[in-house]
Amino acid sequence: DAKTTQPPSMDCAEGRAANLPCNHSTISGNEYVYWYRQIHSQGPQYIIHGLKNNETNEMASLIITEDRKSSTLILPHATLRDTAVYYCIVRVASNTGNQFYFGTGTSLTVIP
Amino acid sequence: EAGVAQSPRYKIIEKRQSVAFWCNPISGHATLYWYQQILGQGPKLLIQFQNNGVVDDSQLPKDRFSAERLKGVDSTLKIQPAKLEDSAVYLCASSLSPRGLYEKLFFGSGTQLSVL
């Protein structure tokens, strides 16, 4: 069962910020939001994750709403190499460990 | 640091045949995951190991799929017999700690299976 909802596709002009939204309205208090991306024929690659505070690293920024029901991944200056499928994931904790539930992802195309 | 290794990269079989995939996780990673990714969909968890024990196999079709991680290091996923709907990319991932706050999954490049 999908725990996240994302638009199926988006375009972004090269050099502009790409803002990818994600809805996770059923998220629980101890569940983290992760973002991964997958370039064709490769395995998914970690981008960033957070619980409730906004996070930034060398790749992207993650903005999580105060009620934690949605988030946005921001790629500040998109390049052609950022063309990929981006997955918003909820990490569910259990007694035996963590489970990562992938949604259907957003296919981002960066346009020259 | 070496990444997650998977083999073979591609496999083509006929339905009802059997097939096996191999995964070697990053050294020291206790948790190993097998995911199935059907074309156009996100990865779906099949089975999760903690060292050599299974912690979640609720979505593994046990009548035809099996997996093992005998020494808590590398792992094998087997399908016997294969069906047309098993055509997918099979991804292996590993993580250092199953409960860490900063747990990350590291993925291999996957094995692309085509069942004819």
Side-chain angles (χ1 to χ4, degrees):
Chain A
D1 54 354
K3 297 184 181 293
T4 62
T5 305
Q6 299 176 252
S9 63
M10 291 181 62
D11 293 337
C12 177
E14 186 178 17
R16 304 296 295 268
N19 296 278
L20 292 88
C22 179
N23 183 294
H24 33 79
S25 58
T26 61
I27 196 169
S28 298
N30 63 345
E31 294 174 350
Y32 282 71
V33 178
Y34 280 67
W35 283 83
Y36 275 71
R37 73 179 182 185
Q38 187 173 28
I39 296 170
H40 184 63
S41 297
Q42 296 181 20
Q45 175 195 24
Y46 170 84
I47 301 174
I48 198 166
H49 76 284
L51 183 62
K52 51 186 171 183
N53 297 322
N54 297 338
E55 302 288 345
T56 296
N57 63 20
E58 66 278 5
M59 292 182 68
S61 295
L62 173 60
I63 309 297
I64 303 174
T65 57
E66 193 169 341
D67 63 7
R68 302 212 323 121
K69 294 186 177 184
S70 65
S71 61
T72 301
L73 178 74
I74 301 173
L75 308 178
H77 306 285
T79 70
L80 299 179
R81 284 179 291 182
D82 292 324
T83 293
V85 178
Y86 287 77
Y87 291 101
C88 173
I89 299 151
V90 169
R91 190 193 83 181
V92 176
S94 71
N95 292 336
T96 53
N98 297 320
Q99 283 81 42
F100 291 74
Y101 291 95
F102 286 71
T104 52
T106 296
S107 179
L108 175 69
T109 301
V110 180
I111 303 168
Chain B
E1 160 182 282
V4 176
Q6 289 190 248
S7 66
R9 190 75 175 89
Y10 303 94
K11 190 72 177 178
I12 300 173
I13 62 173
E14 295 187 350
K15 60 182 179 183
R16 291 188 290 273
Q17 286 186 323
S18 20
V19 64
F21 314 125
W22 175 82
C23 171
N24 192 24
I26 293 173
S27 177
H29 279 199
T31 309
L32 186 147
Y33 306 78
W34 282 102
Y35 282 85
Q36 179 193 57
Q37 186 173 25
I38 293 172
L39 186 63
Q41 300 182 18
K44 183 185 88 171
L45 178 68
L46 291 176
I47 189 167
Q48 178 181 347
F49 291 94
Q50 170 65 18
N51 295 311
N52 61 348
V54 176
V55 296
D56 185 357
D57 63 356
S58 56
Q59 299 196 76
L60 187 74
K62 298 181 186 64
D63 57 334
R64 298 183 300 106
F65 285 65
S66 64
E68 59 184 14
R69 193 184 183 200
L70 291 176
K71 296 182 179 179
V73 180
D74 57 347
S75 175
T76 303
L77 176 69
K78 296 179 182 176
I79 307 175
Q80 180 179 10
K83 292 185 175 181
L84 296 177
E85 59 260 36
D86 298 331
S87 294
V89 175
Y90 290 84
L91 293 162
C92 179
S94 69
S95 68
L96 182 61
S97 165
R99 303 175 191 275
L101 292 177
Y102 301 100
E103 179 183 10
K104 299 177 192 177
L105 295 187
F106 294 85
F107 283 86
S109 296
T111 295
Q112 184 171 330
L113 173 67
S114 297
V115 182
L116 307 178

